[in-house]
Amino acid sequence: MRLFPVMQHIPHARPALVLLGLFSLSACDLAPDYQPPHYIVPASWHGAGLFHDAAPQSVALRSDWWTQFADPQLNTLENQATSNNADLQAASERFLQARAMVKEARSDLLPHFGLAFGSSDNKSSTDRLFRYKGPITATDEFYSGLASWEPDIWSAIRNKVRIQKSFAQEQDDRYAAARLSLQAEVATDYFALRGLDAQMAIYQQSISYYEQALHVTQTRLDNQDATGIDVARAQNQLYMTQAHQLEVQAQRDVMEHAIAVLVNEQPSTFHIAQSDTLNSTEPSVPTGMPSELLQRRPDIAAAEREMAQANRSIGIARAAFYPHLFFSANGGFDSNGFNLANLANSMWAYGASVSMPLFQGGLRQAQLQHSWSVYRETLDHYRVTVLSAFQDVENGLSVTARLRMENARLKQAVKAAQQSQTLTMTLYKGGADSYLDALIAQVNTLDARIDQVQVQTHALQSTVALYRAVGGGWHATL
């Protein structure tokens, strides 16, 4: 029994020469010579501000970059998220799937062997036309071995393997990007929560102060040294501040629930103890030279691996224009009884087939044009990814530097506002000033303190964004 039609026979006397010729042809790779594009990058960062390029002797970026903020609670959350986050685990599974696909594609490079065996009992109809005058029942038992192999003459199979390897590397880069994104999201949400904690503490301190001011105003009204307008103003300030504190509390609850999901915890049972101050360290990020960003960003590495896959697809599309050779063999025993081991019951078939499409209505040309277009698309996507990466770093450097300077100015403004609040209240208690001046000083102090905490929070979050922009200590390993 022959499984495939024989279109061309290989001479039996020269099998070694034939195989040698096939293996030599297998070195024919029709994919274009691939070289990752090289872009001219600037010599330094424009928006460096307070930062500087990391020299070789500088401290390199660490993979656990969040430890530079010196916050034990943040360290715990980051480790918990990296270990338990469901989205990150799904990205890990996608990498494992891609790695298995590499083995699957590589299996086509080797001959395939198999076994087949079976038995059947058959009965013919006695009324069938032209019935043979013999037994109408028969049994059939067989077992055989199968073998097949397609020589990779035009490296189509090898290019499929290379595509799968590049895809696995891309998924590894995607996993690293997902991990970095998760770590940055945890840190960003955590600092937002700590900023809300600090605002709640400020509101609580202001409420205590406004309660005392209301008591003073009420006492002066009782002594006919103040008017009812002063009491109403004091009450309005107190109640508005209490309302703002409740709003911040609601925002904190929402942020705490978001962190719970990131670390794979139930929001209803997850809790982070409140802290009255925002005292996390603001580290200086060693940005390195701009050219190093191409090895520090996992999304850039993933985009480059996409180009490598598209380049190999061109080779596969080109191979479709050339003949393909296929070998097959089948041998075993077949009998209508159990005497299978008799040489007379043996059967075998072997052969080779060559197939080459002659006319397909422009299908192969269209596939080749499509593969070239996909490659150019990945090239454009890579260029945009690189430019976006430089934009992210420049934005991070500029914003972080400006926010730190703004925070320093606001601290001075808070100090001046607190002095004004103390002095005006002292003058009001002594009857030398109106309550309106004291109220204005109270409002200015509260606004300045809230603004300062918000800017400090944004400065910490911008530092996290800068760590993410420079790759967070990750390096490409192709």
Side-chain angles (χ1 to χ4, degrees):
M1 180 185 299
R2 183 173 291 119
L3 300 180
F4 296 91
V6 176
M7 299 179 59
Q8 176 177 339
H9 288 284
I10 304 298
H12 299 285
R14 296 178 294 172
L17 294 177
V18 171
L19 291 176
L20 180 61
L22 291 175
F23 280 115
S24 64
L25 282 174
S26 297
C28 183
D29 189 355
L30 300 179
D33 184 28
Y34 175 71
Q35 292 293 336
H38 298 282
Y39 295 110
I40 299 176
V41 298
S44 61
W45 298 108
H46 173 73
L50 301 176
F51 302 92
H52 58 84
D53 294 336
Q57 65 272 17
S58 299
V59 178
L61 278 171
R62 297 173 52 177
S63 58
D64 56 346
W65 50 268
W66 57 86
T67 59
Q68 303 301 307
F69 292 97
D71 192 319
Q73 180 67 60
L74 176 60
N75 297 342
T76 300
L77 293 174
E78 291 286 1
N79 294 330
Q80 189 175 355
T82 305
S83 301
N84 302 330
N85 183 265
D87 289 334
L88 187 61
Q89 291 176 352
S92 175
E93 292 299 331
R94 287 192 292 271
F95 166 68
L96 295 178
Q97 295 165 19
R99 191 168 60 178
M101 292 171 62
V102 175
K103 298 179 181 179
E104 179 181 345
R106 189 181 288 123
S107 66
D108 289 336
L109 291 171
L110 302 175
H112 290 187
F113 300 94
L115 293 175
F117 55 89
S119 176
S120 64
D121 192 0
N122 311 302
K123 177 183 178 297
S124 302
S125 173
T126 58
D127 295 331
R128 75 179 186 273
L129 189 61
F130 306 116
R131 183 175 69 85
Y132 172 70
K133 301 299 184 180
I136 63 173
T137 61
T139 60
D140 183 39
E141 292 82 21
F142 74 94
Y143 62 87
S144 62
L146 308 173
S148 62
W149 178 49
E150 179 182 0
D152 192 22
I153 300 175
W154 313 113
S155 293
I157 300 177
R158 285 181 173 83
N159 281 327
K160 291 179 182 178
V161 174
R162 291 162 184 154
I163 286 176
Q164 295 302 330
K165 288 178 65 176
S166 296
F167 180 70
Q169 292 169 342
E170 178 195 345
Q171 292 304 310
D172 187 25
D173 299 332
R174 300 290 183 194
Y175 171 77
R179 181 178 58 193
L180 178 59
S181 177
L182 171 65
Q183 294 166 349
E185 184 65 24
V186 170
T188 300
D189 290 354
Y190 175 76
F191 288 131
L193 182 138
R194 287 309 186 202
L196 294 172
D197 283 348
Q199 291 184 49
M200 288 180 59
I202 292 173
Y203 279 122
Q204 186 58 48
Q205 295 169 6
S206 298
I207 288 172
S208 299
Y209 185 87
Y210 296 159
E211 288 175 343
Q212 296 176 5
L214 178 58
H215 177 71
V216 170
T217 307
Q218 186 65 49
T219 301
R220 293 195 61 186
L221 177 62
D222 294 341
N223 296 329
Q224 297 183 352
D225 290 334
T227 64
I229 296 178
D230 292 340
V231 174
R233 288 170 175 169
Q235 290 175 338
N236 176 73
Q237 180 69 5
L238 173 61
Y239 299 149
M240 288 294 296
T241 305
Q242 290 174 337
H244 288 317
Q245 185 187 38
L246 293 174
E247 180 182 359
V248 172
Q249 177 66 59
Q251 295 176 6
R252 187 193 190 277
D253 292 341
V254 172
M255 192 59 61
E256 190 176 53
H257 298 162
I259 296 175
V261 174
L262 292 176
V263 300
N264 200 34
E265 292 283 352
Q266 285 289 344
S268 59
T269 58
F270 181 78
H271 180 66
I272 299 176
Q274 185 173 340
S275 176
D276 292 340
T277 57
L278 186 60
N279 53 7
S280 297
T281 303
E282 295 185 31
S284 295
V285 183
T287 57
M289 301 302 293
S291 59
E292 295 177 356
L293 190 65
L294 302 181
Q295 287 79 39
R296 280 186 170 181
R297 288 271 297 225
D299 57 338
I300 294 179
E304 188 276 329
R305 289 292 83 191
E306 285 183 338
M307 279 194 304
Q309 296 171 58
N311 180 81
R312 292 297 174 184
S313 296
I314 296 174
I316 296 176
R318 284 175 170 175
F321 286 85
Y322 297 90
H324 285 255
L325 180 61
F326 193 87
F327 292 98
S328 64
N330 179 20
F333 295 88
D334 191 355
S335 174
N336 60 355
F338 289 94
N339 189 21
L340 294 178
N342 193 327
L343 186 60
N345 296 327
S346 63
M347 63 173 184
W348 54 266
Y350 66 91
S353 63
V354 178
S355 63
M356 179 177 178
L358 297 178
F359 177 76
Q360 293 179 313
L363 173 63
R364 289 168 294 165
Q365 186 64 36
Q367 290 174 338
L368 181 59
Q369 292 175 353
H370 176 266
S371 62
W372 272 108
S373 178
V374 170
Y375 175 75
R376 291 191 294 268
E377 179 186 359
T378 59
L379 180 62
D380 294 334
H381 179 253
Y382 180 79
R383 180 167 59 248
V384 171
T385 303
V386 171
L387 291 177
S388 298
F390 281 99
Q391 179 187 10
D392 291 342
V393 177
E394 290 288 2
N395 289 345
L397 290 169
S398 299
V399 172
T400 304
R402 300 299 184 270
L403 286 175
R404 290 187 178 184
M405 290 187 290
E406 182 181 359
N407 186 41
R409 300 295 187 274
L410 285 174
K411 287 182 177 179
Q412 296 175 346
V414 168
K415 184 178 180 180
Q418 288 176 330
Q419 291 177 347
S420 175
Q421 177 180 256
T422 301
L423 291 174
T424 53
M425 181 55 68
T426 301
L427 293 174
Y428 175 71
K429 290 179 179 179
D433 203 351
S434 68
Y435 186 75
L436 181 59
D437 292 335
L439 181 63
I440 293 174
Q442 292 171 8
V443 172
N444 291 338
T445 301
L446 179 58
D447 290 345
R449 295 185 68 186
I450 294 298
D451 288 345
Q452 187 271 321
V453 167
Q454 290 178 343
V455 169
Q456 185 179 358
T457 301
H458 294 159
L460 288 168
Q461 291 175 329
S462 68
T463 303
V464 172
L466 182 56
Y467 268 112
R468 180 178 181 177
V470 298
W474 181 88
H475 288 270
T477 55
L478 299 180

